[in-house]
Amino acid sequence: MVNRKWMYIFIQFLLVSSIRSDDDVFEDDEEEVTKGSDDKEEFVPSLFVAPKLSDKSTPNFFDYFPVGSKIGLTWIKSLAKKDDVDSDIAKYNGEWSIGAPTKVSIEGDLGLIVKTKARHHAIAAKLNTPFAFDANTFVVQYDIKFEEGQECGGGYLKLLSEGAEKDLANFQDKTAYTIMFGPDKCGATGKVHLIFRYKNPINGTISEYHANQPTTIGSTYWDDHNTHLFTLVVKPTGEYSVSVDGKSLYYGNMMSDVTPALTPPKQIFDETDLKPVDWDERENIEDESAVKPDDWDENEPQSVVDEAATKPYDWNEEENELIADPEAKKPQDWDEDMDGSWEAPLIDNPACKGLSGCGTWKAPTIKNPKYKGKWIRPKISNPAFKGKWTARLIDNPNYFEPKPFAGLAPITAVGIEMWTMSENILFDNILITSSEEDSSDVAKQTFYVKQKEEYRLAAATGNGNGFFQQIIDATNEKPWLWAVYILCVLLPLVAIGVFCFGKQSKPTPNFAKKSDAYSADDDRVPNLVDDDEEEIIGDEEDDVNQPGPSGSQSNPEPQDEEENAEQQSANSSQSSAAEEEDDEHVVPENEPVKPTEEFAKKSPKNTGGAKRRTARRGD
């Protein structure tokens, strides 16, 4: 009972935790859906409130695209062409605009929109103040909305290196950048890119280093047509963290969690080292001194006919193993001129059923004991073997001990350069700063307000995701939630099964007497063997009315007064003698009484009814 009690408490704890968790995640959405479905009020967009930063905040760049923003002022569309591609697709001819989304949830909230699909797009803006990687934390944050979903394409930002701000009209795929960050998807594969371009201080080469991350993320960010917030934080220690919608997606450190490793190897293979001409890498060679044996016959077949085999006695050579199906009919559309002569398909011959076989009997083949195959020279160890050759190791002339921010070029501009098969991709609230507090403050004033209004719009128009769909979306982001859901469903079922079908324990019978006085059941045999063995004793009052030797269906004949008096006197004396005898047989309390023949003879006779016993005595 104690274990079952604790199991019930544990199940209730899981259920309450799950309910509370679901309430926290979906409480606002359910309220909006309920309000939209019950009241069915027409959706009225809320008014846009421009985000404000504190007076101490000095972001390097912040654009929430206020009313009046136009392409060509802050954001410059690229006029460049891609190299090494056909001329008809080399141009960055994708169209951009600054405007509201197709479905307005906040009146006056604008963004930078990709207006075309299946084109190359490129646009860039100069930072208010350059960001130098020194002792300050680097933060970039923006929100993006794929109104039409995303089939194949990106939504990432390129944080352009110093010098790019001088000619934004020529921004292209080969323009130098310091960090690339943001979502990218094609087919079922989706990532949130984080790429650093780091300069080797010894030889001046700049290489790309990709942050280690999950290979694929859920499709929620692209297919639910809602706005999502992407945030990158890089600290001077090299620690980076990527979050989506305020939830951590992955994190690591530039010094250990990028590919290839940021720290170059101390030794490398000497590229000028050449393998000697006489270097023999063969570990085994053929034994040239070996000679084929004279009795080696390469012409012997691998198998021969078994001459000892005999035809089974029940083999029927008069019947064929397969016959034409007698029930088959030529199709009505069969054209013998085009399809040829029609023949019924073959089936197993019923006459051969149960026999060893039918048709012409042939002796089986067996492995030829004389077969040896083609003779080849055996191999021996190569006496000239020198091992596998590799170039010698030398000290890496370009080795250096990196410091996280030392090789990152200052950022002076931000650009969007991508190919996409979708249109109506909206970028908004692009922030570059050294303050995590600023990014959190901007998110509260922009993204979280927008997210709530989009849920309200979806609920009012009947396009919102249902409760179960939201659960599925949550598991796409956090697959471990499936385990919680399964436990919340499975454990109650197990508890119900245990409660309803669990075997109840039976109480142990107690045959102790409460007094020393003789009672009518002193001669009953206690059930000392099994719980499911049965003892049935007839009731005296019932047996009086039963037919048989000890019972009668009619009332007993009355006795005269003298006989009654004599019987009462005899019973009184017999009872006195029994009480004196009982004093000699005192039974301790809680000890089962075992009747004896002597004690049974002194007990009053029961003439009322028959007794039926089914209990078995122990050995």
Side-chain angles (χ1 to χ4, degrees), residues 540-562:
E540 292 183 1
E541 296 179 0
D542 295 338
D543 290 343
V544 171
N545 297 325
Q546 299 296 327
S550 59
S552 176
Q553 292 183 351
S554 60
N555 295 328
E557 296 180 0
Q559 300 176 353
D560 54 13
E561 295 180 0
E562 293 181 3

Side-chain angles (χ1 to χ4, degrees), residues 45-353:
S46 60
L47 296 178
F48 175 70
V49 177
K52 294 182 180 180
L53 298 176
S54 63
D55 295 337
K56 297 181 180 180
S57 299
T58 56
N60 302 83
F61 182 82
F62 180 41
D63 194 354
Y64 58 87
F65 302 96
V67 176
S69 299
K70 295 181 180 179
I71 300 295
L73 297 180
T74 300
W75 291 87
I76 308 300
K77 186 176 180 299
S78 175
L79 302 177
K81 293 183 179 181
K82 291 177 68 71
D83 296 334
D84 304 326
V85 295
D86 296 337
S87 58
D88 54 342
I89 61 172
K91 293 182 179 180
Y92 286 96
N93 56 353
E95 297 180 7
W96 299 84
S97 71
I98 296 177
T102 304
K103 295 180 180 180
V104 177
S105 60
I106 301 178
E107 192 69 40
D109 187 8
L110 309 181
L112 179 63
I113 306 175
V114 176
K115 299 297 294 182
T116 50
K117 63 181 180 179
R119 294 185 184 182
H120 293 288
H121 299 77
I123 197 168
K126 182 180 178 180
L127 269 58
N128 299 330
T129 56
F131 185 93
F133 289 90
D134 42 33
N136 294 324
T137 297
F138 174 75
V139 181
V140 57
Q141 176 176 278
Y142 68 103
D143 52 72
I144 186 171
K145 179 175 184 177
F146 297 92
E147 289 194 273
E148 308 297 332
Q150 179 66 290
E151 296 179 11
C152 186
Y156 43 81
L157 301 182
K158 286 186 174 182
L159 305 170
L160 306 182
S161 304
E162 186 176 18
E165 79 284 359
K166 298 178 181 179
D167 191 7
L168 297 180
N170 285 321
F171 169 51
Q172 55 168 317
D173 58 325
K174 294 185 178 180
T175 300
Y177 67 87
T178 301
I179 294 177
M180 190 176 87
F181 167 67
D184 189 17
K185 175 178 180 286
C186 195
T189 302
K191 293 184 178 181
V192 177
H193 285 297
L194 174 55
I195 303 174
F196 300 97
R197 295 184 79 245
Y198 198 93
K199 182 178 180 180
N200 186 319
I202 304 299
N203 58 11
T205 58
I206 298 176
S207 304
E208 290 186 355
Y209 299 88
H210 295 247
N212 299 336
Q213 58 176 295
T215 55
T216 302
I217 60 176
S219 60
T220 303
Y221 309 125
W222 292 277
D223 297 338
D224 63 0
H225 314 298
N226 293 325
T227 300
H228 293 284
L229 180 71
F230 292 84
T231 307
L232 168 65
V233 178
V234 186
K235 295 183 178 296
T237 58
E239 297 176 348
Y240 62 79
S241 63
V242 173
S243 61
V244 182
D245 297 346
K247 301 175 183 178
S248 176
L249 183 63
Y250 64 87
Y251 54 88
N253 194 299
M254 293 175 58
M255 304 299 294
S256 57
D257 301 308
V258 295
T259 304
L262 187 62
T263 303
K266 289 185 177 182
Q267 288 188 321
I268 60 173
F269 291 108
D270 185 3
E271 295 182 355
T272 63
D273 189 16
L274 300 177
K275 183 174 67 173
V277 178
D278 59 346
W279 191 278
D280 195 341
E281 293 184 347
R282 298 174 300 166
E283 186 173 358
N284 297 302
I285 60 174
E286 291 183 355
D287 184 4
E288 298 294 339
S289 62
V291 179
K292 183 174 69 172
D294 295 336
D295 61 346
W296 192 285
D297 189 355
E298 295 182 351
N299 297 322
E300 283 287 345
Q302 190 171 1
S303 60
V304 294
V305 175
D306 185 5
E307 299 295 343
T310 58
K311 182 176 68 173
Y313 73 94
D314 61 345
W315 191 281
N316 190 347
E317 289 188 324
E318 297 179 357
E319 294 285 346
N320 293 322
E321 185 177 1
L322 298 175
I323 62 172
D325 187 358
E327 298 182 357
K329 296 181 180 180
K330 183 173 66 174
Q332 295 180 356
D333 58 348
W334 187 274
D335 189 346
E336 293 191 356
D337 293 336
M338 297 185 63
D339 301 328
S341 178
W342 180 81
E343 295 180 357
L346 299 177
I347 61 173
D348 293 335
N349 190 346
C352 299
K353 187 175 182 181

